[in-house]
Amino acid sequence: MSRGEQMKQGGSMVLNHEAAQAISAEKVASLPATPAQYRCPICGKISVNHEDLKFHYANEHPDSVVPIVVKLNVNGKDCEVLIEPHWTLQRTLQFQLGLTGAKQMCDHGACGSCTVIIDGRPVLSCITLAAECEGKRIETVEGIAADPKWKPLIDAYCRWDAMQCGYCTPGFLVTAKALLDRNPNPTEEECREALAGNICICGTYPRHSQAILEATMKMAEGGE
Amino acid sequence: MADLAGVNGQREHFRVVGKPNLPGRLSYALATGIAKFGIDYVLPNMLHAKFLRSPYAHAKVVSVETTKAWALPGVVDILTWEDEDLIKLSTGGFGPPKPWLDNIAHEEGAEVAVIVVAESEEICDEALRLLEVEWEILPHIVDILEGRKPDAPVIREGLPEIPSMFGMGGKDNPPKKGNVSYSYVIDGDIEAGFKEADHIIEFNLTIPAFASHMPNPPGSVAWWEDDPYHAPGKTLRIEGAVQRREQIAAMYGLPLEKTVQKGLFQGGKYCDWGMRRSQEITPLLAKRTGRPVRCVNTREQTYDFLMKQRYMYLKVGFKDNGLITAIDDYSIADGGVPGSSTFGTSGDQSYGPYYTFRCKNIRQRMEIVDSNRGKMYVSGQHCPFNWDAGTMAIYLIAEKLGKDPIEIAKINLHGPTSQDDPNPVPSFEACLEEGKKLMNWNWHPAGTKRLPDGRMHGASFRYQICPRHAFSGYDCKLEYQNGVVHLPTQGPVTGMYAVEVNAMVVAEELGLEYEDISIDFDYREKFTPVGGGSDGTTASAWAMKECAHILKQRLLEAAIEEAENPPRPTGMFAMPKPPSPFKGMNLKPEDLDLMDGKVVLKSDPSIGVPLAEAVTKNIFATYSGRPPDALWSLGMGRMLDTMNTAFCEVAVDTETGEVEILRFGVVADPGKIMRLTSLESQIDQVMYFSQGCQLLEDFVYDKKTGVKLHTNMIDYKKPGVLDVPHVERKFLETRAGNAAYGASGISHSLANTHLVIIAIHNAIGVWVDPPATPDKVLKALGKA
């Protein structure tokens, strides 16, 4: 038995890629297909279904806009979510689906921390209405992390410390994945241009290009 | 080589320490979104809370009628400043005790008078709109040059003068007049110094106000849980009050054991330790409502903290060789709103910009003007040792004498033994020489070098010490359990990879690999490796190194004991241990060593036993302490050992006013590189901070209303990836620091407010106040 194996058997716990992938996969697998409950956002009353909630609104909150059920496809899973019509996708992901990788940050579409991929394009989920996303394919960082294909990218991000406080990092990583989807062999300049909408106050900018370029090489080699 | 007080401080061969590209222990959690920050928490049945925020720069809530708001469906609770529960809350932070929530707002956007709790944020907003608030609009000051005038309205009657808050600054100061407090610090004989001078220069310097660098919106979620295992009563769970569990416990009169915060992720506060009200109030609201409550400062509401603006007038006397004989510094500084720290004002005088100079005749006089601009706590970029008045003086003397500013710096920097010591430390000389090579340094007078593309070329240089914090000490614990070394720590994770450095040192000392050390995050643990960026990291690593040595000693003793008296196997089918090769050798611990995961014979390392086999019992080691001679305990300028230098090259287009930073160059001596990849990133970070405040960032107020005009990330421009210049970095390892293996770290000492500004002057021969936007450059050139 190698020393490393001994150490692991002894209980050393490391959140490595395999663990992160497993946790992310579990998050994706447990995305609810239907709303967990039909809770009135005004008074908190629980209805048995959407029709019942509509009836409750008609009686109790006749001047208010009734919550809607939106069908989203998130990380390959179909999910019906109960939201108020003005809810952003970021808020929906966090509050209804438990996905916290798309971060609440600037609320103005100015920083990229909330980036998700919709139908192949990086999109700022803090200024995208969830109701507009029906029928579209939404990818979040959790879906990317759950896919072993992206191990080289995530490994490279971690090897190069492409994060300091880490709050903005998932947004960068999602943007990087979108770049690699359309251009598997970007130049450093192309990396920088792709990431121009992501703000990192910790100043990790050069690390992202380094990580993406290293991941590109690894992925081209087909290895991990 | 320093670190003489520590075990193995003189170590020459490193297997682990200094290695690049070792992932942070929580990097995968951060990269993949697994990491949950305070405002990421969503709980069933959770309520939301919002504060009434002042639309005025200075105003008093005379009365508030809440009836209509209470009637709004979905409103669960409303508190006003007169509510007993709020009055009872204790306050922390700087300054004298004050109500936790007041009815006076000292800046636009300040939380004031009312908190609303409701089923959703939108209902909170609507309820706040339904409040009938009687405001008394008070006079405001957002321009400190206006605020210091004798006829300016007095905005803060009765509050203590700012210099008294921290015991910093001058002692026998003139009494406060109007909005202005005074702080005078006088050393030496200023008149004699100027008489001695061959030349005298006078200049004005403006330090800009720029935003606090907290990237993530601060906020918290709190709820109360049943807890049958501790004292009676429910236990508070709070997430988002990072690194303030003790403060929250004190605030709510709870034993620490009943105040639980499990989340580790703090975000990047960079010494901006001021906690927002949204991070403190949720426990009370959750208790009143019996439900979880979430409260967030949006990013817009996080422009309430700022780096204070300062205007400085300097008069500097110097000899023909450039040696400074006298400095007369008169500053007008923004005192900010109540509760601001004295760093940025009188605190800077105690740790001022001139502490490395040989000159002893220094007079610092400061006016501190009360304002309604924002709160200043302590921030990396604003650290007092980063003021660039000294850098400016060196540059201007060089200009006046037609000499290279590096030569002027050399003459004026004192040596390590005293202020009279004319010989700078070797680290300084080494940084300079490497810097010259890195930059192909060839100084030219201002406005004399044109680039082939027609733009003007400018260059600048500055030096700084690598500071030492370590003022609070560290309580370290290592646990050897079931063959694995555990390093328990409470966090938080702030982005400086502090605990990783500690783990690397433990691995180094115990003959293990970094991956072998199990870092166990637990909020109940005492050890936390925070405290001043990388220098706090190296200081905690010093203490952890001592702890590792204690553990090592015990492991070796146990290995001998178990070799001679093998423990009985435990478990039904357990086999006895194979005989140890050490049995019967009559060994002492000093005959053994730990190497590559084994206990080995020093005299013949080929004879060894895997550590997990050699020692089967569990062993704990503890150590409390810190490396000697923290900068803060000795006083600024009394410790010079490891230094750094920074350089900047710009190109200025005199037709458009555009400034391009061609490159930054940094030569830093952290003493010993502990973790290369994050050290490099820390350099990038502070240089981008510096770029931001000199070219992009500025607080703009509407003077008439006192309202901030750009509290969002579109209008308040932070550098993006396409904005930042290339940073060329080179590290030296003189091992001259006092922390682990002679490290000091660099902390944020490279942050600066005038390196770029000086380079611009060197390009075009005229001064532009930061931020040097194209319009200001053209104006300075007389073209706009």
Side-chain angles (χ1 to χ4, degrees), chain B residues 51-61 104-113 135 707:
Chain B
F51 289 86
L52 176 66
R53 288 180 181 272
S54 174
Y56 307 106
H58 193 198
K60 179 177 182 180
V61 173
I104 297 176
H106 291 280
E107 64 177 306
E108 183 251 333
E111 300 104 328
V112 62
W135 296 95
V707 167

Side-chain angles (χ1 to χ4, degrees), chain A residues 3 7 15 39 41-42 86 91 94 103-105 108 155 159 161 163-165 192 201-202 205-207, chain B residues 21 28 39-40 45 74 122 215 268 270 291 294 300 495 497 516 596-597 675 677 680-681 685 719:
Chain A
R3 182 163 53 85
M7 291 295 178
L15 184 60
R39 189 171 191 278
I42 296 176
H86 64 271
R91 188 171 175 181
Q94 179 179 352
K103 297 294 186 194
Q104 178 186 354
M105 172 67 156
H108 283 74
D155 278 343
R159 270 173 41 77
D161 290 352
M163 66 212 74
Q164 288 199 44
C165 85
R192 284 157 49 88
I201 294 176
C202 303
Y205 295 127
R207 299 305 194 188
Chain B
N21 297 111
Y28 281 95
I39 68 167
D40 288 338
N45 213 23
E122 288 80 2
Y270 309 123
R291 292 166 62 180
R294 179 180 191 259
E300 283 191 65
Y497 297 93
D516 296 335
D596 194 27
R675 189 173 182 280
T677 316
E680 290 173 340
S681 288
Q685 177 189 28

Side-chain angles (χ1 to χ4, degrees), chain A residues 29-109:
Chain A
S30 61
L31 286 174
T34 55
Q37 58 179 201
Y38 293 85
R39 189 171 191 278
C40 172
I42 296 176
C43 66
K45 180 182 179 297
I46 308 294
S47 298
V48 293
N49 55 33
H50 195 207
E51 290 308 311
D52 189 32
L53 182 64
K54 287 179 186 172
F55 182 75
H56 166 73
Y57 259 69
N59 285 306
E60 302 294 331
H61 316 298
D63 298 328
S64 300
V65 178
V66 183
I68 56 175
V69 173
V70 175
K71 293 176 184 172
L72 300 177
N73 182 282
V74 181
N75 297 321
K77 277 203 73 173
D78 290 325
C79 310
E80 288 186 354
V81 290
L82 179 74
I83 58 169
E84 294 180 75
H86 64 271
W87 274 35
T88 65
L89 180 58
Q90 188 279 328
R91 188 171 175 181
T92 304
L93 293 170
Q94 179 179 352
F95 281 80
Q96 297 295 42
L97 296 176
L99 299 177
T100 55
K103 297 294 186 194
Q104 178 186 354
M105 172 67 156
C106 73
D107 298 324
H108 283 74

Side-chain angles (χ1 to χ4, degrees), chain B residues 12-268:
Chain B
E12 292 190 0
H13 301 291
F14 292 92
R15 298 169 302 103
V16 183
V17 169
K19 258 190 179 177
N21 297 111
L22 294 176
R25 202 48 65 97
L26 292 169
S27 291
Y28 281 95
L30 291 164
T32 59
I34 291 170
K36 280 174 94 169
F37 294 75
I39 68 167
D40 288 338
Y41 285 80
V42 175
L43 279 96
N45 213 23
M46 187 170 75
L47 294 167
H48 300 263
K50 288 202 175 192
F51 289 86
L52 176 66
R53 288 180 181 272
S54 174
Y56 307 106
H58 193 198
K60 179 177 182 180
V61 173
V62 178
S63 66
V64 60
E65 173 54 55
T66 60
T67 308
K68 287 183 184 169
W70 269 114
L72 183 70
V75 170
V76 178
D77 199 4
I78 298 175
L79 290 87
T80 75
W81 80 101
E82 296 170 310
D83 194 298
E84 194 64 26
D85 279 350
L86 278 178
I87 292 169
K88 281 192 295 191
L89 281 185
S90 62
T91 58
F94 299 104
K98 50 196 175 292
W100 190 87
L101 186 67
D102 205 352
N103 64 329
I104 297 176
H106 291 280
E107 64 177 306
E108 183 251 333
E111 300 104 328
V112 62
V114 185
I115 311 168
V116 170
V117 186
E119 296 284 347
S120 71
E121 290 184 328
E122 288 80 2
I123 296 172
C124 289
D125 288 333
E126 183 61 24
L128 291 170
R129 279 192 288 272
L130 290 171
L131 295 173
E132 293 173 25
V133 183
E134 184 187 346
W135 296 95
E136 179 187 344
I137 302 171
L138 303 171
H140 64 263
I141 304 286
V142 292
D143 180 339
I144 57 173
L145 296 182
E146 293 293 322
R148 70 187 283 267
K149 289 180 178 171
D151 59 345
V154 178
I155 60 170
R156 217 157 290 149
E157 294 275 14
L159 287 177
E161 298 174 19
I162 287 173
S164 68
M165 281 186 181
F166 243 2
M168 287 178 164
K171 299 288 182 263
D172 302 315
N173 303 318
K176 184 175 182 179
K177 260 190 250 167
N179 298 309
V180 183
S181 305
Y182 299 89
S183 179
Y184 290 2
V185 175
I186 299 165
D187 295 311
D189 185 339
I190 188 87
E191 299 306 328
F194 279 117
K195 272 187 194 158
E196 194 187 337
D198 298 319
H199 309 269
I200 292 175
I201 52 172
E202 297 174 78
F203 62 99
N204 291 298
L205 170 71
T206 302
I207 310 288
F210 43 93
S212 147
H213 292 285
M214 189 172 200
N216 45 311
S220 68
V221 177
W223 64 101
W224 295 82
E225 296 177 327
D226 288 325
D227 173 21
Y229 301 115
H230 290 96
K234 287 182 181 285
T235 285
L236 169 65
R237 275 293 304 273
I238 182 165
E239 298 298 343
V242 284
Q243 217 194 350
R244 288 293 188 273
R245 193 164 69 95
E246 287 84 352
Q247 188 171 324
I248 292 289
M251 189 171 168
Y252 290 98
L254 291 168
L256 194 56
E257 295 75 17
K258 294 186 78 68
T259 310
V260 176
Q261 180 181 232
K262 294 185 178 175
L264 287 170
F265 300 97
Q266 176 171 287

Side-chain angles (χ1 to χ4, degrees), chain B residues 152-468:
Chain B
V154 178
I155 60 170
R156 217 157 290 149
E157 294 275 14
L159 287 177
E161 298 174 19
I162 287 173
S164 68
M165 281 186 181
F166 243 2
M168 287 178 164
K171 299 288 182 263
D172 302 315
N173 303 318
K176 184 175 182 179
K177 260 190 250 167
N179 298 309
V180 183
S181 305
Y182 299 89
S183 179
Y184 290 2
V185 175
I186 299 165
D187 295 311
D189 185 339
I190 188 87
E191 299 306 328
F194 279 117
K195 272 187 194 158
E196 194 187 337
D198 298 319
H199 309 269
I200 292 175
I201 52 172
E202 297 174 78
F203 62 99
N204 291 298
L205 170 71
T206 302
I207 310 288
F210 43 93
S212 147
H213 292 285
M214 189 172 200
N216 45 311
S220 68
V221 177
W223 64 101
W224 295 82
E225 296 177 327
D226 288 325
D227 173 21
Y229 301 115
H230 290 96
K234 287 182 181 285
T235 285
L236 169 65
R237 275 293 304 273
I238 182 165
E239 298 298 343
V242 284
Q243 217 194 350
R244 288 293 188 273
R245 193 164 69 95
E246 287 84 352
Q247 188 171 324
I248 292 289
M251 189 171 168
Y252 290 98
L254 291 168
L256 194 56
E257 295 75 17
K258 294 186 78 68
T259 310
V260 176
Q261 180 181 232
K262 294 185 178 175
L264 287 170
F265 300 97
Q266 176 171 287
K269 292 172 100 173
Y270 309 123
C271 293
D272 166 5
W273 299 118
M275 196 154 73
R276 267 67 170 188
R277 287 188 174 90
S278 63
Q279 295 169 282
E280 294 180 328
I281 192 59
T282 49
L284 173 63
L285 305 178
K287 186 167 238 177
R288 284 170 60 100
T289 60
R291 292 166 62 180
V293 177
R294 179 180 191 259
C295 187
V296 177
N297 278 48
T298 65
R299 192 67 183 85
E300 283 191 65
Q301 292 160 353
T302 315
Y303 285 85
D304 54 344
F305 282 22
L306 74 165
M307 316 299 147
K308 289 169 180 169
Q309 187 174 30
R310 191 191 302 182
Y311 300 94
M312 303 176 81
Y313 157 80
L314 267 90
K315 182 178 169 187
V316 178
F318 53 97
K319 308 285 280 182
D320 284 332
N321 65 355
L323 182 69
I324 296 170
T325 57
I327 297 171
D328 192 9
D329 165 340
Y330 198 99
S331 298
I332 302 163
D334 183 358
V337 303
S340 293
S341 124
T342 59
F343 286 121
T345 56
S346 55
D348 285 2
Q349 295 175 310
S350 304
Y351 296 97
Y354 316 113
Y355 57 86
T356 62
F357 286 174
R358 291 165 62 191
C359 174
K360 292 178 176 175
N361 305 313
I362 298 173
R363 179 168 67 178
Q364 297 181 73
R365 291 173 296 171
M366 182 179 285
E367 294 182 17
I368 303 160
V369 185
D370 292 340
S371 82
N372 301 105
R373 289 162 63 96
K375 184 177 280 189
M376 169 67 202
Y377 267 74
V378 181
S379 170
Q381 190 169 3
H382 199 274
C383 267
F385 36 79
N386 292 328
W387 291 112
D388 274 331
T391 308
M392 286 279 283
I394 287 167
Y395 172 76
L396 286 165
I397 293 168
E399 278 286 314
K400 176 89 175 175
L401 298 178
K403 290 185 172 179
D404 186 335
I406 288 178
E407 299 309 315
I408 305 299
K410 279 184 180 179
I411 289 170
N412 281 288
L413 177 66
H414 66 73
T417 57
S418 75
Q419 214 177 345
D420 296 317
D421 181 349
N423 301 308
V425 289
S427 176
F428 180 66
E429 298 285 354
C431 286
L432 285 180
E433 290 313 307
E434 287 300 326
K436 284 179 179 176
K437 280 188 233 164
L438 184 74
M439 302 301 287
N440 299 316
W441 183 253
N442 186 16
W443 182 76
H444 59 77
T448 60
K449 183 172 176 182
R450 190 176 291 277
L451 294 164
D453 63 10
R455 294 182 297 173
M456 298 304 291
H457 174 272
S460 59
F461 140 84
R462 115 194 243 278
Y463 70 86
Q464 258 300 346
I465 64 167
C466 294
R468 298 171 175 182

Side-chain angles (χ1 to χ4, degrees), chain A residues 104-121:
Chain A
Q104 178 186 354
M105 172 67 156
C106 73
D107 298 324
H108 283 74
C111 76
S113 294
C114 64
T115 304
V116 299
I117 299 171
I118 298 181
D119 288 345
R121 297 182 61 181

